[in-house]
Amino acid sequence: MATKDLVVTASGKFPKPADKEFQYGTAGFRMKANLLDSVVFRVGLLAALRSKKLNGKVVGVMITASHNPPEDNGVKLVDPMGEMLEATWEKHATVLANASSDEELWKAYDSLMNELSISATTKPKVVFARDTRASGSRLVAALVAALEATDTDYTDYKLLTTPQLHYVTRCLSTKGSDYAYGEPTEQGYYEKLAAAFQTAMKGKTFTGGVTVDCANGVGGPKLNEFLKYLPKASEGGLDIKVVNDDVLKPDRLNHQCGADFVKTGQRAPPSSAAAKLARCCSLDGDADRLVYYFINEDNSFRLLDGDRIATLAALFIGEISKSAGLAEKLKVGVVQTAYANGASTDYITSNLKLPVVCTNTGVKHLHHAATKFDVGVYFEANGHGTVIFSDLALKRIKKYQPQSPAQDSALKTLKALTELINQTVGDAISDMLLVEVILAHKGWGLKEWDQTYKDLPNRLVRIEVRDRGIFKAVDAERKLESPPGVQSQIDDTAGKYKYGRAFARASGTEDAVRVYAEAATRGEADGLASKIAGIVQKAGA
């Protein structure tokens, strides 16, 4: 049981920087690692409170800064079912992180105990892991200090990808129930995905291999370990070539590689040296984002981002459900954000005839909206996403009796997909396997996938500002209501371009504003992005 003396004494070793204000955002807390010690300690307190409030269920804590530079780090909480922290608790994280002293921190902690009617005698349970950043082990010490001060049962899973920690958290929370998700170990994760992948691929063959850029992050060693559970290419398995998997030199993390580099720069990592039409993909630093790409015959770079993965998944799940005889019993829908390319939205609604919902940026918003469908496909354009099958959908798939050998084969593939897809959160390794299964079933390469629709040329620009808080967005973050007058300037400028669309949105993790622009040609998209960036820069000066 936490006592004032234990919490205050432990907190004293991790003093809060006097001049800093912290905000729990889309990705939890994320900043320069040397500012994080007090924050991580206080997140440990909140993790204990969250577990207590949920009657001792397992809560996860992940220490990572994903695609950020090596000198950054971050921390976020994972709820028992492997989902992001419930949104109503984000303000509690912010309150604890900003308590001005050890005494004030105890008051805030004790106040939350009373306000939320949390039992002091409930034993909290927390699991945690970190990525490969050099600051990770130091921040783990701050987390452990908080967990010991609150008499929490905890398990350190050492180095994991973010999706692996989400997986483990859900497995522990559902163990022994009708909804058991799997074996709550890293090995259990590999075995589950490998078995599902091989079932989904039964009778199908791969055309060529895939080169996977692991951003010199934790995904590198984890993907290399996973390969031990898959058949080798010589045995009919997928030929996976791993590149950018150097985790021994921390400064190489996300440097000219990784999903964010590829998506933002619209080019392949210099180290990939891919041949024309070769299948390539990139993970990000904590392996929860995935984008594909290739070099066309004319040497042009072709990106297949989260929009493309969403449309591919929706197309195939719709087809396989129909082949299994379940089309009328499963309502498939797609969730996107304002960053989704306008051409992808049109393809989903006009060609696939599926509903599309647009939400605010951030996994928590997309995930929530996706649960409204029997099968909800959600991906941000940056490559972060997954597919969620509702409990009702899973029951229908499990109980359905196929009426023919063709239906039986399709049903087995569909069941395998429900196991292959990490439904807790976006998972680059799981999503990569999903893409490879679909391409094999359809007999497609990346060029055929790319030809399903034509993307509007687009550009994403990052603008540093003094205070991102003045940029307030509405309408699923497609419009700015402040600063006053900025949105009308954006609208007027975009209206001068064919198929012009643009918006500006404050980053959830840093003092910057991201500008997205799309138009009929590459030159027009770049020009529109540049002009909107100028408007934002002036407003944020």
Side-chain angles (χ1 to χ4, degrees):
M1 187 188 304
T3 65
K4 179 178 179 180
D5 285 348
L6 287 172
V7 171
V8 168
T9 301
S11 175
K13 297 173 184 174
F14 310 100
K16 176 186 176 294
D19 58 342
K20 293 297 293 183
E21 285 291 313
F22 302 112
Q23 178 75 40
Y24 195 99
T26 305
F29 293 109
R30 193 179 292 177
M31 65 200 76
K32 292 286 181 280
N34 60 3
L35 298 172
L36 262 173
D37 298 71
S38 69
V39 172
V40 173
F41 177 83
R42 293 158 187 226
V43 164
L45 298 183
L46 188 72
L49 285 175
R50 182 69 178 152
S51 177
K52 280 175 172 287
K53 177 63 179 175
L54 298 174
N55 298 316
K57 286 186 178 177
V58 176
V59 168
V61 179
M62 185 70 199
I63 296 175
T64 180
S66 187
H67 58 279
N68 280 37
E71 63 270 19
D72 290 2
N73 215 325
V75 61
K76 55 188 173 183
L77 276 84
V78 180
D79 265 354
M81 288 302 284
E83 297 172 339
M84 304 303 287
L85 175 68
E86 184 184 301
T88 57
W89 274 64
E90 291 179 7
K91 62 180 182 288
H92 305 323
T94 300
V95 165
L96 290 179
N98 288 306
S100 58
S101 67
D102 304 329
E103 291 284 338
E104 289 300 315
L105 175 61
W106 170 256
K107 286 180 185 177
Y109 178 90
D110 195 45
S111 175
L112 283 176
M113 287 279 291
N114 294 321
E115 177 190 334
L116 300 170
S117 303
I118 294 172
S119 167
T121 58
T122 302
K123 185 83 166 175
K125 299 184 189 71
V126 172
V127 295
F128 61 89
R130 61 184 177 91
D131 69 12
T132 54
R133 292 164 192 272
S135 57
S137 56
R138 188 191 83 241
L139 296 175
V140 161
L143 177 64
V144 167
L147 299 179
E148 292 185 343
T150 50
D151 193 26
T152 299
D153 280 343
Y154 65 85
T155 304
D156 180 0
Y157 277 81
K158 311 293 184 186
L159 296 178
L160 289 182
T161 68
T162 293
Q164 286 177 329
L165 182 76
H166 283 254
Y167 164 87
V168 164
T169 305
R170 182 162 178 165
C171 289
L172 288 167
S173 299
T174 57
K175 195 172 184 179
S177 75
D178 292 340
Y179 302 98
Y181 195 63
E183 188 63 32
T185 61
E186 185 179 339
Q187 181 179 338
Y189 168 90
Y190 298 136
E191 289 175 344
K192 179 179 180 178
L193 264 61
F197 184 59
Q198 290 174 72
T199 300
M201 281 301 303
K202 193 170 183 181
K204 304 296 177 183
T205 56
F206 299 101
T207 304
V210 60
T211 298
V212 188
D213 155 33
C214 295
N216 293 316
V218 68
K222 299 311 177 186
L223 180 55
N224 281 315
E225 182 64 24
F226 178 53
L227 294 183
K228 298 174 184 176
Y229 294 80
L230 295 177
K232 294 180 172 60
S234 58
E235 301 165 348
L238 176 61
D239 181 15
I240 298 177
K241 179 187 176 186
V242 180
V243 298
N244 294 324
D245 59 344
D246 183 357
V247 296
L248 299 179
K249 299 186 184 75
D251 59 328
R252 298 189 65 179
L253 173 67
N254 295 318
H255 179 65
Q256 294 199 316
C257 59
D260 196 58
F261 172 85
V262 173
K263 170 65 177 171
T264 304
Q266 305 267 321
R267 61 191 177 107
S271 55
S272 68
K276 288 179 183 179
L277 299 180
R279 205 155 70 246
C280 301
C281 65
S282 287
L283 324 182
D284 69 337
D286 64 339
D288 63 0
R289 293 186 187 185
L290 174 76
V291 296
Y292 270 76
Y293 47 92
F294 67 101
I295 307 299
N296 219 337
E297 292 103 331
D298 62 0
N299 281 322
S300 62
F301 173 78
R302 302 297 301 163
L303 176 68
L304 296 148
D305 60 8
D307 296 341
R308 293 281 182 175
I309 298 171
T311 57
L312 185 72
L315 166 68
F316 185 67
I317 290 170
E319 287 178 347
I320 205 78
S321 299
K322 186 176 180 180
S323 299
L326 281 163
E328 301 303 314
K329 292 182 169 62
L330 297 176
K331 183 184 177 186
V332 181
V334 180
V335 185
Q336 296 184 318
T337 72
Y339 288 109
N341 193 281
S344 73
T345 310
D346 185 62
Y347 173 76
I348 295 163
T349 55
S350 302
N351 292 61
L352 302 185
K353 309 294 185 187
L354 295 174
V356 174
V357 174
C358 187
T359 74
N360 285 1
T361 302
V363 177
K364 61 189 177 189
H365 301 297
L366 288 111
H367 194 95
H368 179 71
T371 61
K372 306 297 183 188
F373 296 103
D374 294 328
V375 184
V377 180
Y378 76 81
F379 277 85
E380 294 181 288
N382 62 25
H384 194 161
T386 189
V387 182
I388 303 174
F389 294 83
S390 70
D391 289 343
L392 181 60
L394 291 172
K395 284 176 184 173
R396 284 175 173 166
I397 292 168
K398 185 177 181 180
K399 291 181 178 180
Y400 186 71
Q401 295 296 318
Q403 305 300 307
S404 68
Q407 280 195 2
D408 183 57
S409 175
L411 186 64
K412 285 176 179 172
T413 300
L414 185 58
K415 284 179 179 176
L417 292 187
T418 68
E419 295 288 307
L420 178 65
I421 295 164
N422 186 345
Q423 296 180 52
T424 66
V425 74
D427 183 337
I429 293 175
S430 164
D431 291 338
M432 179 192 73
L433 298 176
L434 172 64
V435 168
E436 292 297 328
V437 164
I438 297 172
L439 294 178
H441 272 258
K442 297 193 73 64
W444 285 0
L446 297 193
K447 188 175 181 180
E448 289 79 12
W449 177 14
D450 187 44
Q451 289 172 341
T452 51
Y453 63 88
K454 186 177 180 181
D455 265 327
L456 287 168
N458 59 90
R459 180 63 72 196
L460 184 61
V461 182
R462 178 181 172 276
I463 313 296
E464 290 191 5
V465 294
R466 280 193 301 127
D467 178 12
R468 71 179 186 264
I470 67 171
F471 293 87
K472 301 196 182 300
V474 293
D475 187 22
E477 299 177 323
R478 290 175 285 193
K479 303 283 184 185
L480 283 176
E481 65 175 5
S482 73
V486 172
Q487 186 58 49
S488 61
Q489 293 179 60
I490 293 174
D491 292 340
D492 289 346
T493 305
K496 295 172 184 174
Y497 292 80
K498 187 177 181 182
Y499 302 136
R501 181 173 75 93
F503 66 91
R505 170 190 168 268
S507 168
T509 58
E510 53 193 338
D511 272 327
V513 172
R514 298 187 188 277
V515 167
Y516 176 87
E518 62 185 32
T521 68
R522 163 60 58 206
E524 288 177 311
D526 289 348
L528 177 56
S530 178
K531 288 185 177 178
I532 303 302
I535 293 169
V536 168
Q537 210 153 27
K538 187 177 178 182

